[in-house]
Amino acid sequence: MKIFTAAQIYEADKFTIDKQQITSDELMERAATKIFEWMHSRLQGAQVNIQLFCGIGNNGGDGIALARHLVEHGYNVQVHVVNYSEKRSKDFLLNLERLKDRKIWPQFINQDCNFPEITPNDIVVDAIFGIGLNRPPDSWVGNLIKHINASSAFVLSVDIPSGLPTDRMPSTPEHVIASSYVLSFQVPKLVFFLPETGIYVNQWEVLDIGLDTSFLGETETDYHLIGRPEVLPMYRPRLKFSHKGTYGHSVIIGGSYGKIGAVQLASNACLSVGSGLVTAVVPECGYQSLQTAIPEIMVLSNDEDESLTKIDIPFEPSAVGIGMGMGTKDETIKAFGAFLKKMNIPLVIDADGINILAKKPELMERVPRQSVLTPHPKELQRLIGEWGDDFEKLKKTKQFSEKHDCILVIKGAHTITVYKDKGYVNTTGNPGMATAGSGDVLTGMITGLMAQGYSSLNAAVFGVYLHGMAGDIGASNTGYEALKASGIIENIGKAYLELLRPPSSAENKEET
């Protein structure tokens, strides 16, 4: 699913109105009807107190039109118009007149008004500001938002939480609605998925308001939301007449005294995701434990017992994952640099491999093109430098990717895979995956997919999705707190089965 900017959404609205020969008011009515249907299907006429806070732009017009539908179906509604400007959109005014024609008189909230009482049992509909917000709310409107947030009521936001810009951080974070649920028109917004702005969105859902599908399909976007429909076409099915050599020979390089487990996890994940053969390269201290723990893999070790001082692969590997638990001793850095000189296939670089590149940025010139780097936030910061906010982080990551022709996997609640000017936002995963070794598992999975012939970008996007799904399946059995990295590996097979599961009849009906 594409993630559109505010400007692109406005263009989609305009294109739809022109092509379908409808008025902007009719498009607004569609939106309001969809929100009403969503609410009505859940409330079923329950006489809960619904308080609508509507601005005086088009987002407020959506709220005013929604109020009319709610009243017509017998709901208990209070409408508050937040009078933050002398300007009014024409569709807002049109819907306000329709509301008054039904003898529904909204309360106008001005700068000098007392705010209405809101109880925790109320439902608040937030339709104050939409995606067109281009400046911070006035302080009194900000105080109204704080009043709503402090109420403990269920807050349903129309399209986006009021006070949250779509392309930058809010200048006054406390003047942003903390939404219980957001109903986003047609497409989600990037801010739903970034750590610093996603905190304002507890849950979200897309409502299809009938924007023109040809426009949506043909418009290029910088970001894509990755779900099952996007991942399934990437899957490479196994052939009947194949053998272990068909699916590649992966090499996992890393480990040091006390950190051999990282290589064990990565190697096991690499094998479990489908690599035909896996060889681990470790210092001597890891030889026996790896041979015992994972009898299916092969192990090479160097003469040094506690750390890697030489990296030699006596065959041509299909894919290489390197860095987990490797350490950053001088001799290891030297071995890593010498190894990069010899490599001409894309690598998957994680953990201390990234830390070494951050220490010795000149080594990036030796990293093969199309390599995949999988940093956690601190490793990313060491690699690309500090950033002011999530938007600058994405900008600097794209610049780094463009400069070095590499893929970066920004790990987090919604892991974002970046390649040059494009970002791919993942939808699987859960807080239980914030556990030791989870990143090593991901590195092993991406390496194993590359060994099977997946392109670097597809291996990263597919691997992140499958990794998150395996974590979701694991957490459904253990809970978040008890999920371990080894538990993610145990569920890789189930994640494949879930991905390839035929849609149920109910799902087919819903898609139709």
Side-chain angles (χ1 to χ4, degrees):
M1 181 184 291
K2 295 177 180 179
I3 299 176
F4 288 78
T5 64
Q8 288 173 322
I9 294 169
Y10 281 128
E11 283 299 313
D13 286 351
K14 183 180 176 184
F15 187 91
T16 300
I17 289 166
D18 291 342
K19 185 174 179 181
Q20 298 179 7
Q21 293 295 292
I22 60 173
T23 64
S24 57
D25 167 57
E26 288 175 293
L27 188 59
M28 182 175 285
E29 189 67 17
R30 278 187 202 173
T33 301
K34 286 290 186 178
I35 302 169
F36 167 75
E37 289 171 351
W38 187 94
M39 294 181 70
H40 187 49
S41 68
R42 288 154 179 79
L43 294 176
Q44 295 291 308
Q47 288 304 294
V48 63
N49 190 39
I50 303 173
Q51 299 204 49
L52 295 98
F53 291 83
C54 306
I56 41 76
N58 283 347
N59 194 254
D62 295 328
I64 295 289
L66 170 63
R68 172 167 38 85
H69 287 289
L70 288 168
V71 169
E72 287 172 352
H73 286 78
Y75 284 98
N76 183 21
V77 169
Q78 297 174 43
V79 183
H80 311 284
V81 174
V82 184
N83 215 12
Y84 57 77
S85 172
E86 294 301 315
K87 295 179 180 178
R88 309 277 187 275
S89 79
K90 70 178 181 61
D91 289 335
F92 165 82
L93 291 171
L94 181 60
N95 278 287
L96 184 63
E97 288 306 311
R98 288 173 180 165
L99 197 65
K100 290 178 178 178
D101 288 343
R102 287 156 178 78
K103 309 302 181 189
I104 304 164
W105 309 105
Q107 174 194 357
F108 283 77
I109 303 176
N110 298 301
Q111 185 170 357
D112 54 354
C113 291
N114 293 324
F115 299 146
E117 182 182 351
I118 308 169
T119 76
N121 296 322
D122 292 347
I123 292 175
V124 169
V125 175
D126 157 39
I128 303 171
F129 299 115
I131 59 173
L133 184 68
N134 55 19
R135 62 179 178 81
D138 291 339
S139 58
W140 72 269
V141 181
N143 289 333
L144 172 62
I145 288 172
K146 288 170 69 175
H147 174 69
I148 293 170
N149 287 343
S151 69
S152 299
F154 180 91
V155 181
L156 178 68
S157 286
V158 174
D159 204 26
I160 193 169
S162 287
L164 182 62
T166 60
D167 57 356
R168 64 187 185 282
M169 281 295 295
S171 56
T172 313
E174 64 269 26
H175 291 173
V176 179
I177 287 286
S179 300
S180 309
Y181 216 103
V182 179
L183 296 178
S184 183
F185 296 146
Q186 204 71 46
V187 291
K189 280 70 176 171
L190 180 63
V191 287
F192 295 175
F193 310 107
L194 304 181
E196 293 175 330
T197 54
I199 56 173
Y200 302 106
V201 181
N202 186 45
Q203 288 182 276
W204 62 272
E205 188 172 327
V206 166
L207 293 183
D208 184 350
I209 61 170
L211 295 185
D212 185 77
T213 53
S214 64
F215 180 92
L216 298 175
E218 293 166 11
T219 301
E220 283 292 317
T221 62
D222 290 345
Y223 292 92
H224 291 254
L225 189 64
I226 301 300
R228 188 171 183 265
E230 288 75 28
V231 166
L232 201 51
M234 298 179 187
Y235 174 67
R236 296 168 61 92
R238 293 210 163 198
L239 304 174
K240 179 179 180 180
F241 295 100
S242 60
H243 53 84
K244 62 187 177 184
T246 307
Y247 303 108
H249 191 162
S250 300
V251 174
I252 300 294
I253 304 169
S256 56
Y257 185 79
K259 294 182 180 178
I260 296 300
V263 178
Q264 179 182 322
L265 289 167
S267 300
N268 202 354
C270 188
L271 201 63
S272 298
V273 86
S275 182
L277 296 154
V278 177
T279 294
V281 178
V282 292
E284 184 64 28
C285 64
Y287 181 83
Q288 288 190 2
S289 63
L290 278 173
Q291 289 276 252
T292 305
I294 319 173
E296 299 90 345
I297 71 167
M298 296 167 280
V299 184
L300 296 172
S301 62
N302 64 11
D303 295 334
E304 175 63 38
D305 187 51
E306 296 195 356
S307 59
L308 285 169
T309 56
K310 187 168 42 169
I311 303 171
D312 285 325
I313 306 173
F315 56 87
E316 287 293 325
S318 309
V320 176
I322 185 168
M324 66 294 300
M326 191 165 66
T328 56
K329 288 185 176 180
D330 289 344
E331 57 267 34
T332 302
I333 293 174
K334 186 177 178 182
F336 181 61
F339 171 74
L340 290 178
K341 267 187 179 179
K342 296 182 285 186
M343 293 308 297
N344 55 15
I345 62 168
L347 309 175
V348 184
I349 305 176
D350 184 31
D352 286 325
I354 294 171
N355 290 331
I356 291 172
L357 293 174
K359 275 188 169 187
K360 303 282 186 180
E362 65 275 12
L363 291 181
M364 270 307 303
E365 298 308 314
R366 300 184 190 175
V367 173
R369 304 303 90 176
Q370 296 287 302
S371 289
V372 180
L373 280 64
T374 60
H376 62 52
K378 287 304 293 183
E379 290 164 352
L380 180 66
Q381 187 181 65
R382 294 180 195 122
L383 192 66
I384 68 172
E386 294 189 3
W387 53 80
D389 57 41
D390 285 338
F391 293 96
E392 187 182 3
K393 174 178 69 177
L394 288 170
K395 180 181 177 183
K396 294 184 78 168
T397 301
K398 287 181 175 182
Q399 290 170 342
F400 187 93
S401 172
E402 181 77 47
K403 180 179 178 181
H404 299 289
D405 190 18
C406 64
I407 293 100
L408 284 99
V409 177
I410 307 175
K411 293 184 284 197
H414 287 283
T415 293
I416 302 178
T417 301
V418 171
Y419 180 55
K420 296 188 175 178
D421 62 342
K422 300 290 184 185
Y424 305 86
V425 182
N426 190 49
T427 56
T428 57
N430 62 80
M433 299 176 73
T435 185
S438 179
D440 303 319
V441 173
L442 177 61
T443 297
M445 291 177 71
I446 295 173
T447 305
L449 291 169
M450 287 171 64
Q452 294 172 72
Y454 288 80
S455 71
S456 298
L457 179 58
N458 280 5
V461 172
F462 188 91
V464 166
Y465 181 86
L466 204 66
H467 177 256
M469 183 174 283
D472 289 341
I473 294 168
S476 71
N477 295 316
T478 66
Y480 293 155
E481 289 78 7
L483 182 64
K484 295 188 295 185
S486 54
I488 299 171
I489 297 171
E490 289 165 7
N491 286 290
I492 292 172
K494 291 178 182 176
Y496 268 123
L497 292 175
E498 176 62 24
L499 176 67
L500 300 173
R501 172 184 58 81
S504 67
S505 56
E507 287 173 320
N508 276 328
K509 195 174 192 181
E510 194 175 301
E511 286 172 9
T512 312

